[in-house]
Every structure is written in structure tokens, then in C-alpha cells.
Amino acid sequence: MFKDKYDKSLNNISPDGYIKQKVLLKIKNRNADIGFFGRRYVKVSFAAALCLVIALSSFAVWRVVKNPFDNKINNETKITESELDLQNQNVGSQKPNEEINSQPNVSKPADNDHKIHSNSSDYNTYRKIYDKISKLDFYSYYYDDIIFEEFDGMADAETIVPSSPPTSGTDKDSFKGDSDFSDSSNKPSSPNFSNTTTQVKDVDEADIVKTDGEYIYAMSKLKSSSYGNEDGIRIIKAGINPQLISTIQISEVGTSLYANEMFLYNKKLTVFFEDYNSDYEKISTVVKIYDVSNPKKPKIISTLRQSGSYYSSRMIQDKIYLITDNRISYDYFDEKKPETYVPSIYAENHNGVVKADDVYIQDYCTEARYSVVASYNMSNGCLIDSCSILGGTKALYCSLNNIVIAGYAKSQFSKVVRFAINDGKIDLSATGEIKGGVLNQFSISEHNGYFRFVTTDRILGISRNNLLILDGKLKKVGSIENVAPNEEVKSVHFMGDTAYFVTFRQTDPLFSVDLSNVKAPKILGKLKIPGFSEYLFPYGEGKLLGVGLEIDEETGEDLGVKLSMFDISNPANVTELDKFVIKGSYSIADNTHKAIFYDSKRNLIGVPVEVYDGNTYYLFSFKDNKFVKNNAFPCHTTTRGLYIDDIFYIVSDYFIELIDLTKFKFIDVLDFYLSEN
Amino acid sequence: MTHFLQKNETFYSLEKYYLRGGMFMIKEKESIFEAALPETAFEKYADMVYRLAFVRTKNRADSDDILQEVFMRYMKVYEKMETEEHIKATLLKITVNCSNSFKTSFWQKKTDALDENIMTEDEVSDTYVLEQVLKLPLKYRTAIHLHYYCGFSVDEIAKIEKSNSSTIKTHLKRAREILKKTLKEEDL
């Protein structure tokens, strides 16, 4: 058995006796540090008392000096973008444990943001940043689920308020004009091909497969090794007789570049890589922009680099927003070298550390990593703007006007940061805190100037869920809290003034929430069905498509990937029109929303699923309130589906299958390795 | 699929633990304190921590440093441990985090053979399996180690690695696929 052999081979791996002794000694003497007082108390007690008195008095002086600013800020209600220089605000207790007992509905006050003003670029301008970082304690994040407090039973704060169905106008308006709504059938001009499944209309998300209607660009490994780094992009001419036009090798074996995903705009491909240097702290994201106007001869036009591992990216027209996660470590800090504690960017017009102005350090920070948000112009590889803030990124939401980052949940709260974006300009607008942690990008939404979040928080192992509405300054204006105790949010979909979210423990209540009154959101309805949806997508008028897993209510056994179609024409009374369980499957292949294809206008849904003996790509339609399985085709782990005219292309690691959309029959397959040899 | 059953069981057992009543809670806390002390935890788990560090860094010197660093950090939080599983999970979480902040080229060494100094001649055959696992990318071998050696379920691994369970499932599946090829005769 593998386990036995593995266990056996690890038996030889043990720490040396003397290392163990060394550590054990340190552990046993942990109290001895304080003990030096005892050893030399006669000599040093006097000196120690003196130091203590000096320390206390200087601390008192500091507090007194601070106070005048405190009162000033608490009265300030307007923060314009030019006045982001927030002085010390009274954060309240540094131990959130105590906060929880009082007023559960009061939002946490904003914490300290210090914008460092400076124009010169020598290391002195970064000194303030260095000083602030040196004082932070990054280890307290281990307190994640370790909250000790009085717990007086489960608060059941679900209020299901029966309300009259919305007027027919509301639903249709939010359907069309809502910034959250994205459906591949909604395209600006009338090209007859599909695009990547994204969250927000007109905000593109990077993916491994892109098309412009004429060519398909597919990123995958060039050889059949599953973990080599010979990444390549294949350019295929689409049509009844597909042809592999060229293959660009974008990284080589032995180098440290690993390709992630890419954007396509105006015959330019922007490809994101991660560069794993030998120094972990120096992981950076490399961006290569290729000109593919001549698909037979693609060429590199720019190479950019940004500190940190690749988190995500967005594209709005030809402006790219790249978000990376840049870890820093005390071991490497050098006060004289800002590049050891401040992110760096290398582009056509910028070489080195970012401006001190663009770096934000919050006082109460527990993750030693920057979220670095930078914008680039795809046409010329120039950096437009950047903004770095200390604190990890759990989820990122991007609309046409804002980027919202939600951090990891720590002590039941997580930080949120709002950046206003405009044609590449990035400005930190506000920071705030929300109760609980978000699941992914779909848990965040922007609508009419308000930001809505669906979160899950945990105290003593019991999870509860919340819907929070924050204003432009990320202050809470309304919320529904402590919904579905002991369950976790699995999927969320915001649609204008209504929100749908699914929580799960064994059954899957799909909640529908009315958000039209931002101060008082209301749960309109709750639909209980087995299993849960991992993704919710709008599917034509009055319908919501859920893709997730079916779970047996009795045994908790996983029965397979499930598609559900919900009738949401009356949010107060959501019903499940039909469901389809793909037996024998256990997961969506390459589990991301981008792997799922849906187009309500063409009435087509494509889902790749992992099955024990191979993967399969299923094509469905929804007719007469029932799912119709059109056909299923083999595929590999990383698969995307797209259509151009009347042909559906299943683009997988090693081949592209062509399917005729009128009869759902297999037309042809383009095998990459055969074509290349 | 048993992993969902385990997930429910975890929730249920925590619920029983906390809702059973004040007296029970206090008793559990006391008995756990002894086990959570850094000295006891070190005796029990030094090897476990060292082995995870070794699988991640492939380097004995770094693993020694990580072993020390992990228990130094553990000393700050040992008073907040609730159960034996919690101790184990916390130590492993700290190990994962420490091994992240260490200078190692885990991607480059992927196709290299193990350091010659580590094994003696007779030990080589026993370590073949370990060698193949160490050739996997960092995330895959971490998931394999935590699952097969430490015995964690997918959800527990997801908590330790701060990922979600579907990512871990994918890591395990792909790692198994690779190992199937490289180990050939094994039945995973």
C-alpha cells in the first residue's frame, strides 16, 4: 500500500538528537528570559525601575500629544480623495474579542491608514514605511478560529418577511442595466462568438483560452509532462477545417517562469507568468505582451515585472489591472534598501520600487504581504498607476469604477479596501471592516454607489452567515446577520436590487434577499434543496442557473455534479424548475467559474466534469422547463468551451473538438501533438 | 464519497463539545492544557513537524531551522489550544507558513535527485517512494503528505493550507495521477 511505503520511507527522516535537545532547551528556558531579573535583582532592579518610569512618562506624553488629533478626526465626516492623509484614529480595542460582546450590529471603526507624502526617491522617503512595518506583529493571525468568549446559544436572526412581488418594471430594469449582470450573450457589437465567463459586463477576466472570432488562442503545456514548465500558446484558425497556425513557446524548461492566464485585445496577447526565483520572497509576476496580428509570426513587444505572486487581473478596454500578492519577511529587511520591504515594478517607463506615496500600511495588520494593484497600458507596456496596501487578498471584485479587495478573516472580521479606478488611475478611496470572511469574487457587488458583501463568520466552530451593505466609504449602512447558523455560504449572485445566496451544511437553502432599501435588507424567501450550488449565473429573464453538487440528505454522500434551474421571477417564492445530476462525476474540472459556459440566448450550457475514468464535457439546453442533455464529449483536466458561428469548440489540454451546434454531433478534432509532429 | 461525511462529523462533534454544558467544557479545557504545553507537544510532534518541513523544503538544514521556528511560534499560542486535533493542526499550519518564508528553490529542485548525504545505501530502496513524492511540485506533495502521512481529510488540509477543499481535491487527484505513473506497481 502506498501509505505504508510512504510512512516507512519517512522513518529515516528525523531531526538530529542535538537539534532536538537545542529546541527542547529553548522551550524549557522560555521563562528564564524574564528570570535574569531574579539573578541580578540586587544590581539591576534600581535601573529597571528607572527605565520603567521614563518609559511610562514618555508614553503618557505621547498619548497626550496624540489626543488633539483624535477629536478632530471623529468629527470629520467628509473624506475627499485629496485628503486621504488620515491621522491616528481611535481604533478601539486591539483585541476584537471584546468588541464582539457589545452591540453586534455596530460596524468596526476604520483603522489607521497612513499615506506617506514625499517626492524624493532616496531611501529616506521610505523610512516612514520601514518604521511602521518594523513595529507590526504578524504572528497574531494564528488566532483565526481561536476565540474564547461567552456563548449563550445560537442566535437565530433569520427574518423572513413576506412581501409583495416586485413590480414587473424592477426586474427587467435590473436585468439589463445592472453592472453585475454578465452573460456571454450580451456583447457590445454583434460578433457571433462567445467570450470568457466573467462576473461584470465589460470587465474582462484573464483565462487560458481566448478567441477573437477568427482565431482561437489556447494556452497549455507543450509536451505531455504534467508538471514541466514548457508552456505554450497555440494559435488555431477556427472553422470547419481548423488549422494549427503556430505555437509560441512562452517559457522554457529549466527557467523559473510558469504561465498562468492571458488577455486578448486588438490582436495583442497579454500573458501573465509567475517567476519562482530561488528566493521565495522574490517571487514576481512577469507580463509578456505579444503582437499576434500576424498569427504565423507572433512577436514579443513588451516584458513587464511586478513584485509578488500572481493573484488576479482584469482588463477594461486596453488597460490592464494586475493584482499580485507580495510577501515580505523580517529576515530580509534592510533599512537602506527599500526594495526589501516595498514592492517594485519594471515596465517601459518605470524601473524599481513604487513611489512611497502609493504605499499604505495599516496599523492593525496581521499578514506580512502587500496587495499590489497596478495598471498598465496594453498598447505600449507602460505603467499607469499603482497602489500597494499591506494585508492579504482573499477575494477581489472589479467593476468599471472600483476594485474592492477583501482580506482573510481574522478574529471574525476581515478588512475590505476600495480603490477607485478610472482609465488606469488607481486611488485608495476607503478601507473598512466586515464581519466574517467572503468566499470569492462573487460574494462582493457594487450597485448604485453601495457595496454589498455576503460573508461567513465562525465563533467556536459554529459558522453563521451575513449580508452587509456598505456605503462608498465602506461604512456599514444595513445588514442581515447570523443567517443559517452552522452553514456556510457556497455561492452568491447579486442582480441589481436582489441577491441570491446558497448556504450549505446538508441541505442547500437558496436565500433571496431584497436590497432595495440599503438600510434594511430583507430576506424574501428561502428554498431548501439537497446539495448546493457552487456557482449561480443569470439565465435569461426570471431564471437563475446553479452549478454545484448533489448531496444525499441522509448520508451526506456526494452524488455528482448537479445543474439546477431556478425560477426567480418572484424572488419571494423561488422554485426549482428542474435539476440534472451527472452521476459518477465528483467535481467540475478545473473548478473555476470560467470553466462553465452558458449562453441564454443560444440556450446552451457547457460543463466539464471530472469522472473517475476520465473527464467529460456535457452540453445542455433548457427547454420546456427541463434540462436536455444534448451530448457529452471526452476532455482533459483544463477545458474551456466556446462557440464561433455554429461550431462549438471544446478546447482541452491536448486537443480541440469541434461540435456542430445544430445537431450536437461531433465534426472533427484537432490534435495538437499530431499537428506539431 | 466519505469526505462530506467527515465534514458533517466535524461540525457535529464541535457542536456536542460546546453545547453539552459548562462543566464538560471546563474539564476538557483542563486536560488539554497538559497536552498543549510546548514540552509535551514537542515530544509528540517534533518528528511530524520536521517531516512536513522536509517534504516541503527537501533540505535538512532548513528543516532544522523550521523545527525551531515552529515551536518558538507555537509557544505564543499554546494556551489557546482546545483539542489534540487543534494542536496538530496549528503546528502544521505554522509549519506550512514557516516553510513558505524560507529561502528554497522548490521549483528548480523538482527534477533533481535527493541530496546524496541523506540516505545510506541500504536505505535507498525504502526511500524510493519518498523520492518520487519529493519530485512533485510543492502543493501536490504537501497535500499528499498531509493526507497519507498525517491522516488529514481534504477539508482539514484545506484549513491548514488556507485553500478550499476543491483545490485540495484537485491537487490530490493530480498528484496521484503522477505518482501512478512514476511508482507503476503501486495501488493508490
Side-chain angles (χ1 to χ4, degrees):
Chain A
M1 277 301 307
F2 172 71
K3 181 176 161 53
D4 299 329
K5 289 216 171 181
Y6 188 56
D7 282 355
K8 196 169 172 210
S9 51
L10 275 170
N11 279 340
N12 298 318
I13 309 290
S14 269
D16 278 341
Y18 100 91
I19 296 274
K20 275 185 141 167
Q21 286 283 31
K22 188 170 144 202
V23 180
L24 209 51
L25 212 65
K26 277 209 172 172
I27 292 178
K28 292 202 169 131
N29 290 333
R30 65 181 180 275
N31 294 318
D33 284 343
I34 316 166
F36 88 89
F37 252 84
R39 269 186 255 155
R40 291 185 243 170
Y41 68 90
V42 173
K43 286 183 194 171
V44 304
S45 55
F46 242 64
L50 196 63
C51 292
L52 206 61
V53 165
I54 295 173
L56 282 173
S57 45
S58 45
F59 179 71
V61 168
W62 175 66
R63 286 297 298 241
V64 164
V65 166
K66 232 181 65 174
N67 270 332
F69 292 120
D70 279 345
N71 292 330
K72 205 170 165 189
I73 294 304
N74 283 334
N75 291 331
E76 228 178 73
T77 48
K78 215 171 115 179
I79 305 173
T80 61
E81 285 200 306
S82 60
E83 278 185 322
L84 280 172
D85 196 358
L86 305 167
Q87 301 289 328
N88 276 340
Q89 288 194 13
N90 189 8
V91 172
S93 168
Q94 282 281 317
K95 295 173 199 149
N97 310 11
E98 296 161 18
E99 289 279 337
I100 292 161
N101 277 331
S102 58
Q103 302 157 44
N105 286 327
V106 171
S107 70
K108 278 191 77 78
D111 42 25
N112 297 311
D113 281 325
H114 283 261
K115 188 180 181 190
I116 325 264
H117 286 293
S118 176
N119 283 321
S120 52
S121 54
D122 65 318
Y123 77 87
N124 277 314
T125 59
Y126 297 92
R127 161 81 56 65
K128 267 195 205 165
I129 301 178
Y130 180 80
D131 289 340
K132 288 195 61 100
I133 295 181
S134 318
K135 293 189 188 108
L136 294 174
D137 173 17
F138 292 124
Y139 298 142
S140 40
Y141 92 95
Y142 296 121
Y143 296 110
D144 241 353
D145 331 52
I146 315 168
I147 307 282
F148 269 70
E149 57 168 74
E150 296 302 302
F151 186 60
D152 51 14
M154 292 196 268
D156 184 32
E158 269 179 47
T159 44
I160 299 182
V161 176
S163 71
S164 53
T167 59
S168 55
T170 326
D171 237 328
K172 281 190 188 157
D173 290 344
S174 60
F175 178 86
K176 276 185 202 145
D178 185 20
S179 60
D180 284 340
F181 178 73
S182 173
D183 182 324
S184 39
S185 61
N186 258 359
K187 276 181 293 302
S189 45
S190 62
N192 203 16
F193 60 91
S194 59
N195 203 348
T196 307
T197 304
T198 58
Q199 183 181 7
V200 177
K201 194 172 141 204
D202 292 335
V203 177
D204 197 10
E205 297 176 30
D207 201 5
I208 50 173
V209 173
K210 290 284 180 189
T211 179
D212 51 9
E214 203 188 339
Y215 295 95
I216 298 177
Y217 306 83
M219 182 194 286
S220 59
K221 302 281 171 229
L222 291 187
K223 302 232 167 90
S224 55
S225 77
S226 321
Y227 54 97
N229 69 331
E230 288 166 295
D231 299 310
I233 297 179
R234 295 184 169 97
I235 303 181
I236 297 109
K237 182 148 174 56
I240 283 280
N241 293 316
Q243 276 172 35
L244 179 63
I245 305 281
S246 64
T247 305
I248 322 173
Q249 182 169 353
I250 52 183
S251 63
E252 290 161 16
V253 191
T255 64
S256 50
L257 286 185
Y258 289 82
N260 258 309
E261 37 188 26
M262 60 189 178
F263 283 118
L264 173 69
Y265 185 82
N266 245 358
K267 293 294 183 185
K268 288 199 182 65
L269 273 178
T270 305
V271 188
F272 300 102
F273 299 80
E274 274 179 308
D275 188 352
Y276 290 92
N277 217 314
S278 54
D279 267 335
Y280 183 87
E281 269 66 38
K282 292 189 185 150
I283 286 190
S284 52
T285 299
V286 171
V287 186
K288 291 191 192 173
I289 304 182
Y290 295 85
D291 182 335
V292 291
S293 39
N294 178 358
K296 291 194 187 137
K297 290 198 182 130
K299 37 183 189 151
I300 287 197
I301 45 182
S302 282
T303 305
L304 319 167
R305 186 184 285 265
Q306 181 172 320
S307 301
S309 52
Y310 177 82
Y311 180 79
S312 189
S313 57
R314 297 288 191 275
M315 182 172 79
I316 299 176
Q317 299 204 306
D318 65 341
K319 306 291 187 299
I320 306 247
Y321 295 87
L322 171 61
I323 300 92
T324 57
D325 189 305
N326 186 16
R327 277 182 189 268
I328 52 174
S329 161
Y330 286 126
D331 298 338
Y332 297 100
F333 280 4
D334 182 344
E335 198 179 330
K336 296 207 164 43
K337 293 187 186 167
E339 61 266 18
T340 57
Y341 55 91
V342 171
S344 309
I345 292 183
Y346 299 87
E348 298 291 330
N349 60 345
H350 188 281
N351 269 312
V353 283
V354 298
K355 293 206 286 275
D357 277 10
D358 292 332
V359 179
Y360 296 85
I361 314 283
Q362 293 172 289
D363 270 0
Y364 187 41
C365 179
T366 52
E367 295 272 0
R369 47 219 251 203
Y370 285 103
S371 303
V372 185
V373 183
S375 55
Y376 302 89
N377 188 330
M378 204 182 189
S379 333
N380 57 22
C382 286
L383 171 74
I384 303 174
D385 201 357
S386 81
C387 222
S388 308
I389 184 163
L390 209 56
T393 311
K394 169 89 200 288
L396 179 121
Y397 168 85
C398 181
S399 67
L400 288 167
N401 304 306
N402 291 288
I403 287 180
V404 176
I405 286 181
Y408 286 95
K410 192 222 127 340
S411 299
Q412 215 202 355
F413 287 88
S414 50
K415 295 235 181 83
V416 286
V417 183
R418 172 191 167 200
F419 301 90
I421 56 175
N422 182 9
D423 209 28
K425 282 231 57 188
I426 305 172
D427 291 302
L428 180 80
S429 288
T431 64
E433 281 206 348
I434 51 176
K435 186 173 171 204
V438 298
L439 179 65
N440 56 29
Q441 64 189 82
F442 294 99
S443 305
I444 309 175
S445 154
E446 175 197 339
H447 185 64
N448 284 344
Y450 289 94
F451 294 90
R452 299 94 64 96
F453 301 81
V454 174
T455 67
T456 302
D457 67 82
R458 269 177 200 86
I459 313 176
L460 295 176
I462 311 277
S463 61
R464 294 182 288 203
N465 307 284
N466 318 283
L467 186 146
L468 307 152
I469 305 183
L470 277 57
D471 65 9
K473 300 194 181 32
L474 297 184
K475 301 272 177 291
K476 185 165 87 168
V477 295
S479 67
I480 309 177
E481 300 186 23
N482 305 326
V483 176
N486 268 322
E487 308 200 6
E488 287 181 343
V489 172
K490 284 297 188 184
S491 54
V492 186
H493 183 70
F494 284 96
M495 197 186 270
D497 280 328
T498 322
Y500 298 92
F501 65 93
V502 167
T503 61
F504 174 72
R505 177 147 161 215
Q506 219 158 352
T507 58
D508 156 10
L510 166 64
F511 290 93
S512 35
V513 184
D514 176 14
L515 305 169
S516 47
N517 180 357
V518 294
K519 298 207 180 108
K522 294 197 290 274
I523 294 186
L524 295 171
K526 185 170 149 172
L527 174 67
K528 269 200 165 150
I529 43 177
F532 59 90
S533 300
E534 287 182 285
Y535 304 102
L536 292 171
F537 302 110
Y539 198 79
E541 292 208 20
K543 290 207 272 287
L544 194 65
L545 168 69
V547 183
L549 287 172
E550 174 81 324
I551 308 290
D552 185 326
E553 281 182 287
E554 310 282 315
T555 64
E557 202 191 324
D558 167 11
L559 297 174
V561 172
K562 172 177 78 162
L563 272 72
S564 309
M565 192 64 80
F566 301 101
D567 178 0
I568 53 172
S569 47
N570 175 6
N573 184 18
V574 174
T575 57
E576 187 182 40
L577 294 169
D578 189 26
K579 76 175 178 193
F580 192 102
V581 180
I582 302 176
K583 298 213 177 75
S585 64
Y586 55 87
S587 162
I588 298 166
D590 191 21
N591 203 335
T592 151
H593 61 279
K594 299 175 201 170
I596 299 167
F597 169 86
Y598 69 95
D599 188 321
S600 53
K601 283 211 178 110
R602 291 194 79 137
N603 197 359
L604 199 56
I605 301 165
V607 186
V609 292
E610 282 192 10
V611 189
Y612 285 104
D613 49 359
N615 293 351
T616 317
Y617 196 94
Y618 281 79
L619 278 171
F620 294 92
S621 297
F622 195 74
K623 288 184 189 138
D624 300 327
N625 285 346
K626 290 233 170 299
F627 280 107
V628 172
K629 174 185 147 187
N630 293 317
N631 213 335
F633 305 91
C635 66
H636 287 102
T637 341
T638 345
T639 307
R640 298 288 188 267
L642 61 98
Y643 70 82
I644 301 178
D645 295 326
D646 279 323
I647 302 179
F648 193 83
Y649 300 82
I650 299 177
V651 185
S652 206
D653 299 88
Y654 311 133
F655 55 62
I656 298 187
E657 290 169 314
L658 282 79
I659 315 297
D660 165 24
L661 280 178
T662 48
K663 293 191 183 137
F664 296 103
K665 288 269 156 80
F666 184 81
I667 302 175
D668 197 0
V669 66
L670 176 64
D671 186 308
F672 295 144
Y673 298 129
L674 286 182
S675 317
E676 276 158 8
N677 298 323
Chain B
M1 288 296 290
T2 52
H3 60 269
F4 279 100
L5 204 54
Q6 278 168 16
K7 178 177 181 174
N8 289 336
E9 277 175 353
T10 317
F11 273 119
Y12 278 125
S13 60
L14 272 171
E15 196 181 19
K16 276 185 221 160
Y17 176 96
Y18 289 109
L19 294 183
R20 230 188 265 188
M23 288 294 289
F24 178 80
M25 212 159 94
I26 292 165
K27 262 198 216 158
E28 284 287 311
K29 272 195 222 176
E30 276 172 5
S31 62
I32 254 316
F33 187 74
E34 294 293 306
L37 284 174
E39 293 94 329
T40 7
F42 184 78
E43 299 293 331
K44 255 196 234 163
Y45 296 118
D47 282 346
M48 179 187 83
V49 167
Y50 187 83
R51 280 163 191 166
L52 177 61
F54 183 77
V55 168
R56 284 179 71 88
T57 61
K58 299 204 278 196
N59 176 332
R60 277 191 181 256
D62 284 348
S63 309
D64 290 338
D65 291 337
I66 291 176
L67 177 67
Q68 180 169 314
E69 183 66 25
V70 165
F71 281 95
M72 294 301 109
R73 292 194 195 182
Y74 176 71
M75 291 201 294
K76 290 192 185 184
V77 300
Y78 77 89
E79 283 157 343
K80 309 240 170 172
M81 295 296 111
E82 294 164 21
T83 64
E84 197 68 42
E85 279 75 38
H86 195 186
I87 299 172
K88 219 173 154 191
T90 307
L91 282 172
L92 292 174
K93 243 198 231 186
I94 301 177
T95 314
V96 166
N97 214 271
C98 279
S99 49
N100 277 344
S101 47
F102 253 76
K103 274 204 277 193
T104 42
S105 52
F106 30 80
W107 289 104
Q108 285 178 7
K109 283 187 183 163
K110 172 163 69 264
T111 48
D112 289 350
L114 278 182
D115 218 16
E116 301 298 320
N117 303 331
I118 296 171
M119 313 289 164
T120 63
E121 294 281 318
D122 347 81
E123 288 165 343
V124 165
S125 54
D126 283 345
T127 61
Y128 180 69
V129 170
L130 178 60
E131 258 180 73
Q132 299 312 313
V133 171
L134 288 180
K135 284 188 186 169
L136 296 172
L138 176 69
K139 293 195 175 154
Y140 293 1
R141 63 180 192 262
T142 309
I144 289 278
H145 183 85
L146 289 172
H147 185 70
Y148 285 103
Y149 185 72
C150 299
F152 284 107
S153 72
V154 171
D155 293 306
E156 288 162 346
I157 300 178
K159 276 200 185 146
I160 290 173
E161 289 241 70
K162 285 207 157 173
S163 243
N164 62 49
S165 45
S166 15
T167 318
I168 303 296
K169 265 191 260 178
T170 318
H171 287 332
L172 274 178
K173 177 174 190 280
R174 291 198 202 161
R176 281 193 273 243
E177 279 169 13
I178 299 169
L179 288 173
K180 251 192 217 174
K181 288 188 223 158
T182 55
L183 295 176
K184 289 181 187 125
E185 75 278 16
E186 292 311 315
D187 211 14
L188 288 177

